């Protein structure tokens, strides 16, 4: 079972504040769920990912890169001309600027 | 009593509109009347748009104009639809049923919305869902559960529960949902409507709020297979703004479906006896119509659910990292930058979303990555190959859509037991195949008749086979 420290560590990595009750609940729930999905370790996989036998499989492997043609094309950006709508969504705004916390500072 | 226009199929409404028997305004008003009667208890819509009648009048004007110019109108011109709350419509709120985006207004149209607007469809409102499309019952909405129109003590399914309940109860003629692990098909089964998860890439995802990017697809919910086909044909197509979208010629064309495969060993586990009976009856109807079935084996199916959830947690935790309270969405200020993030995300995300973020962080963390995410990726590729192989032998894989009818609200309080209900739906998302849920009758529970669905899965790109077999089944039941 996951310890209290395990859950708190994951919450820190995920930038998520959890209450004490939630940490306790997650110790049980997350442990049960991970216990179930661990069944994945039982399966033998025929060949490593990326080594796809293309003679047998008529479609591209699941994970493959898609490149568009390296050719100029008209801009069809769905956000073109929507600057004001994007600014309107800022949590805090000064003129056209989004107000954010100064990053380079001593936090602790 | 005359049946409400809100109960018409899209195809029938389109015929009547074309013949001038009715106007779009008539149909839209009929839906608004039904919404007024039932939405308060069902909670299918989070918001009904104020300009529905205005949209309908514009559609009627456009029909007149089309006729004058001799233009063929889309069958969706003037048809009122419900849209899931994670699909962006410019100028309207899109909250993904989350406190995080409660006040977020979409700044552009999703490609599917652009296509529906071009066809002249009317948007009635935005429908309830599990927060960020994480769940299977719409109980994870930050804005209350959606109730099942067939028994309001039961869930509508999820995550597109609002869309399914709306279509089932005449609050819309059709709807859009999104399907990450059954989110269109599960509520379709529970509410008794038709739901399609298209081939991965068949429909553009620009303007959908991402849940699990390697699974997500937008898909239609409708009252008939023909209606689902009309909606799919309107929203499909390659999109330069979605690099995962594919052209209609990506996969080879196949002939009409002749043989069904049933993964019998998967069905042996934990199935409701009444659902099994309905499933057997549906297979008998298809056999009689000239489409027989045979048992098939897909060995990697045994770990499909584990594979699905590992991938789901991993991608959810990374996709939802974008919600940090800095650029848009709920924003809390703490003592420092870390606290800004952690408190914004704690206040914005509901319990299930937080749980999956924690689990995703775990399966992606150093030391566990290979055992969980790495293994899941390999199992997924293996399963996909098994599907490619099996579709050389059969044209359709059939299972029930869900192992049971709609559960009672609050019945599945343990998250793992909720996940296990997705046993039949997650595979199509893992492999990218298209899958369709079609009603296969009802089962009785406590004096109520609850719908259940059969799921058909076809080869990549072969939605045509799904529509053919779905219509065959509908005709078989009608006789």
């Amino acid at each position: 079972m996951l310890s209290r420290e395990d859950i708190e560590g994951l919450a820190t990595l995920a930038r998520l504040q959890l209450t004490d009750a939630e940490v306790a609940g997650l110790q049980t729930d997350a442990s049960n769920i991970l216990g179930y999905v661990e069944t994945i370790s039982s399966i033998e996989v025929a060949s490593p990912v990326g080594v796809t036998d293309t003679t047998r499989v008529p479609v591209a492997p699941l994970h493959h890169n898609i490149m568009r043609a390296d050719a100029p094309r008209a801009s069809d950006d769905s956000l073109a001309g929507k600057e004001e709508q994007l600014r309107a969504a800022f949590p805090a705004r000064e003129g056209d600027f989004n107000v954010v916390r100064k990053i380079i500072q001593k936090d602790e | 009593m005359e049946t409400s226009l809100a109960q018409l199929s899209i195809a029938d409404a389109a015929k009547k509109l074309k013949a001038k028997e009715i106007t779009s305004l008539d149909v839209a008003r009929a839906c608004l009347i039904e919404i007024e009667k039932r939405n308060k208890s069902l909670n299918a819509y989070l918001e009904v748009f104020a300009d529905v009648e205005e949209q309908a009048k514009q559609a009627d004007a456009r029909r007149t104009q089309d006729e004058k110019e001799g233009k063929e109108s889309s069958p969706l011109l003037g048809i009122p639809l419900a849209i899931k709350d994670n699909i962006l419509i410019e100028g309207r709120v899109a909250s993904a049923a989350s406190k995080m985006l409660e006040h977020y207004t979409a700044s552009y149209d999703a490609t599917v919305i652009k296509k529906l607007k071009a066809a002249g469809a009317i948007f009635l409102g935005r429908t309830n869902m599990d927060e960020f499309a994480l769940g299977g019952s719409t109980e994870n909405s930050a804005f209350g559960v959606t109730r099942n129109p067939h028994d309001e003590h039961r869930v509508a399914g999820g995550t597109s529960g609002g869309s399914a309940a709306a279509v089932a109860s005449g609050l819309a003629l059709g709807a859009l949902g999104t399907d990450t692990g059954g989110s269109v098909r599960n509520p379709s089964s529970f509410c008794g409507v038709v739901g399609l998860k298209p081939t991965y890439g068949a429909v553009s995802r620009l303007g959908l709020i991402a849940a699990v990017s390697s699974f997500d697809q937008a898909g239609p919910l409708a009252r008939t297979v023909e209606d689902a086909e009309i909606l799919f044909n309107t929203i499909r197509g390659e999109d330069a703004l979605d690099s995962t979208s594919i052209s209609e010629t990506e996969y080879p064309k196949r002939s009409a479906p002749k043989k069904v495969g049933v993964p019998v060993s998967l069905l042996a586990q934990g199935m409701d006896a009444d659902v099994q009976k309905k499933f057997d009856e549906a297979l008998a109807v298809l056999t009689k119509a000239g489409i027989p079935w045979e048992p098939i084996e897909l060995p990697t199916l045994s770990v499909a659910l584990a594979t699905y959830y590992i991938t789901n947690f991993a991608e959810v935790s990374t996709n939802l990292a974008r919600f940090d309270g800095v650029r848009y969405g709920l924003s809390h200020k703490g003592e420092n930058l870390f606290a800004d993030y952690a408190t914004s995300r704690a206040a914005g995300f509901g319990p299930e979303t937080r749980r999956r973020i924690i689990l995703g962080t775990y399966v992606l963390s150093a030391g566990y990555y290979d055992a969980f995410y790495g293994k899941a990726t390999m199992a997924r590729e293996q399963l996909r190959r098994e599907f490619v192989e099996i579709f050389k032998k059969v044209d359709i894989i059939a299972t029930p859509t869900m192992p049971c009818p709609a559960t009672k609200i609050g019945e599945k309080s343990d998250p793992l037991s909720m996940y296990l209900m997705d046993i039949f739906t997650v595979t199509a998302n893992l492999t990218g195949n298209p899958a369709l849920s079609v009603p296969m009758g009802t089962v009785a529970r406590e004096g109520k008749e609850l719908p259940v669905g059969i799921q058909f899965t076809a080869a990549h790109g072969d939605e045509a086979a799904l529509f053919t077999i779905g219509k065959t089944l509908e005709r078989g039941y009608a006789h």
Side-chain angles (χ1 to χ4, degrees), chain B residues 105-122:
Chain B
T105 302
S107 46
Y108 64 100
D109 280 331
T111 298
V112 289
I113 293 299
K114 250 186 214 162
K115 288 176 179 242
L116 289 175
K117 279 184 176 175
I122 295 165

Side-chain angles (χ1 to χ4, degrees), chain B residues 174-221:
Chain B
L176 284 194
T178 59
D179 192 312
T180 302
S183 286
V184 163
R185 292 160 285 151
N186 158 335
S188 294
S189 178
F190 282 3
C191 291
V193 300
V194 174
L196 172 72
K197 197 287 284 184
T199 304
Y200 185 74
V203 177
S204 166
R205 298 183 304 177
L206 180 86
L208 267 54
I209 296 172
V212 181
S213 300
S214 73
F215 294 147
D216 296 343
Q217 267 291 284
L221 297 96

Side-chain angles (χ1 to χ4, degrees), chain B residues 28-147:
Chain B
R29 279 180 176 160
C31 289
L32 290 173
I33 288 168
E34 296 304 312
I35 289 169
E36 185 64 34
K37 274 191 230 161
R38 291 203 73 182
N39 193 54
K40 207 168 173 190
S41 58
L42 292 179
N43 197 29
Y45 287 96
L46 293 175
E47 179 188 357
V48 178
F49 299 140
D51 64 346
V52 171
E53 294 197 356
E54 191 47 47
Q55 291 180 58
K57 285 176 191 165
Q58 283 174 13
D60 283 328
R62 184 166 151 191
R63 184 175 302 280
T64 311
Q65 188 65 28
D66 281 356
E67 279 169 10
K68 219 186 276 171
E69 294 170 11
K71 268 204 300 204
E72 184 73 27
S73 301
S74 158
L76 291 179
L77 177 61
I79 301 292
L81 302 176
I83 305 295
K84 191 177 181 180
D85 193 30
N86 61 349
I87 300 174
L88 306 193
I89 308 177
E90 186 174 348
R92 305 201 194 264
V93 170
S95 80
S98 177
K99 293 272 178 208
M100 183 62 87
L101 293 175
E102 188 174 3
H103 304 293
Y104 173 74
T105 302
S107 46
Y108 64 100
D109 280 331
T111 298
V112 289
I113 293 299
K114 250 186 214 162
K115 288 176 179 242
L116 289 175
K117 279 184 176 175
I122 295 165
F123 305 129
L124 288 161
R126 55 191 176 90
T127 51
N128 202 9
M129 55 185 280
D130 287 293
E131 180 183 30
F132 286 108
L134 309 177
S137 64
T138 314
E139 289 171 292
N140 295 331
S141 166
F143 309 111
V145 66
T146 294
R147 292 173 184 277

Side-chain angles (χ1 to χ4, degrees), chain A residues 14-15 17 22 40 43-46 49 51 56 58-62 66 76 79 82 85 89 91 98 101, chain B residues 90 107-108 241 243 251 303 307 326-327 334 340 342 345-346 354 375 378 380-382 384-385 388 392:
Chain A
R15 304 290 184 267
Q17 189 184 59
E22 250 185 314
I40 190 97
I43 80 141
E44 288 299 320
V45 178
V49 175
V51 186
R56 278 179 59 240
V59 291
L62 190 66
I66 298 173
D76 46 2
L79 286 175
K82 305 283 167 61
Q85 283 100 310
N98 184 15
R101 188 185 287 275
Chain B
E90 186 174 348
S107 46
Y108 64 100
L241 297 174
S243 65
Y251 297 105
V303 290
T307 304
V326 174
R327 291 152 300 144
D340 289 354
R345 289 162 64 76
R354 292 203 289 267
K375 197 87 187 222
M378 287 191 262
R380 186 177 177 185
E381 175 65 10
Q382 181 149 306
R384 196 187 61 94
R385 290 188 204 181
V388 169
K392 291 174 183 169

Side-chain angles (χ1 to χ4, degrees), chain B residues 90-388:
Chain B
E90 186 174 348
R92 305 201 194 264
V93 170
S95 80
S98 177
K99 293 272 178 208
M100 183 62 87
L101 293 175
E102 188 174 3
H103 304 293
Y104 173 74
T105 302
S107 46
Y108 64 100
D109 280 331
T111 298
V112 289
I113 293 299
K114 250 186 214 162
K115 288 176 179 242
L116 289 175
K117 279 184 176 175
I122 295 165
F123 305 129
L124 288 161
R126 55 191 176 90
T127 51
N128 202 9
M129 55 185 280
D130 287 293
E131 180 183 30
F132 286 108
L134 309 177
S137 64
T138 314
E139 289 171 292
N140 295 331
S141 166
F143 309 111
V145 66
T146 294
R147 292 173 184 277
N148 192 306
H150 301 276
D151 177 353
E152 293 190 7
H153 295 101
R154 291 178 187 268
V155 300
T159 65
S160 311
S163 288
V167 174
S169 56
L171 311 190
L173 267 62
L176 284 194
T178 59
D179 192 312
T180 302
S183 286
V184 163
R185 292 160 285 151
N186 158 335
S188 294
S189 178
F190 282 3
C191 291
V193 300
V194 174
L196 172 72
K197 197 287 284 184
T199 304
Y200 185 74
V203 177
S204 166
R205 298 183 304 177
L206 180 86
L208 267 54
I209 296 172
V212 181
S213 300
S214 73
F215 294 147
D216 296 343
Q217 267 291 284
L221 297 96
R223 296 203 190 104
T224 66
V225 174
E226 184 185 13
D227 285 1
E229 187 176 12
I230 291 169
L231 285 163
F232 173 67
N233 284 336
T234 307
I235 61 173
R236 73 184 304 182
E238 195 171 10
D239 181 359
L241 297 174
D242 175 1
S243 65
T244 64
S245 67
I246 55 171
S247 82
E248 288 176 28
T249 55
E250 174 89 12
Y251 297 105
K253 280 236 176 316
R254 294 169 62 105
S255 50
K258 289 179 202 73
K259 213 189 291 169
V260 171
V262 178
V264 280
S265 55
L266 187 70
L267 266 58
Q269 313 153 13
M271 266 267 287
D272 180 286
D274 293 341
V275 175
Q276 178 72 53
K277 192 163 160 270
K278 285 288 151 192
F279 180 66
D280 293 340
E281 285 171 20
L283 291 178
V285 169
L286 290 170
T287 304
K288 208 178 151 198
I291 309 179
W293 68 278
E294 62 183 61
I296 53 167
E297 288 298 331
L298 293 156
T300 308
L301 273 186
S302 62
V303 290
L305 205 53
T307 304
Y308 172 80
Y309 271 102
I310 290 167
T311 313
N312 180 297
F313 301 149
E315 292 195 40
V316 164
S317 76
T318 48
N319 255 333
L320 298 189
R322 78 188 70 197
F323 297 104
D324 54 10
V326 174
R327 291 152 300 144
Y328 57 95
L330 190 81
S331 180
H332 274 223
K333 287 281 171 246
E335 283 180 1
N336 51 34
L337 185 63
F338 182 89
D340 289 354
Y341 293 149
T343 55
S344 296
R345 289 162 64 76
F349 293 138
E352 177 64 18
T353 305
R354 292 203 289 267
R355 185 181 296 124
R356 293 201 195 189
I357 289 171
I358 292 292
L359 285 162
T361 308
Y362 180 88
V363 300
L364 290 175
S365 57
Y368 299 105
Y369 182 97
D370 287 343
F372 285 96
Y373 187 72
K375 197 87 187 222
T377 307
M378 287 191 262
R380 186 177 177 185
E381 175 65 10
Q382 181 149 306
L383 182 66
R384 196 187 61 94
R385 290 188 204 181
E386 286 174 13
F387 268 58
V388 169

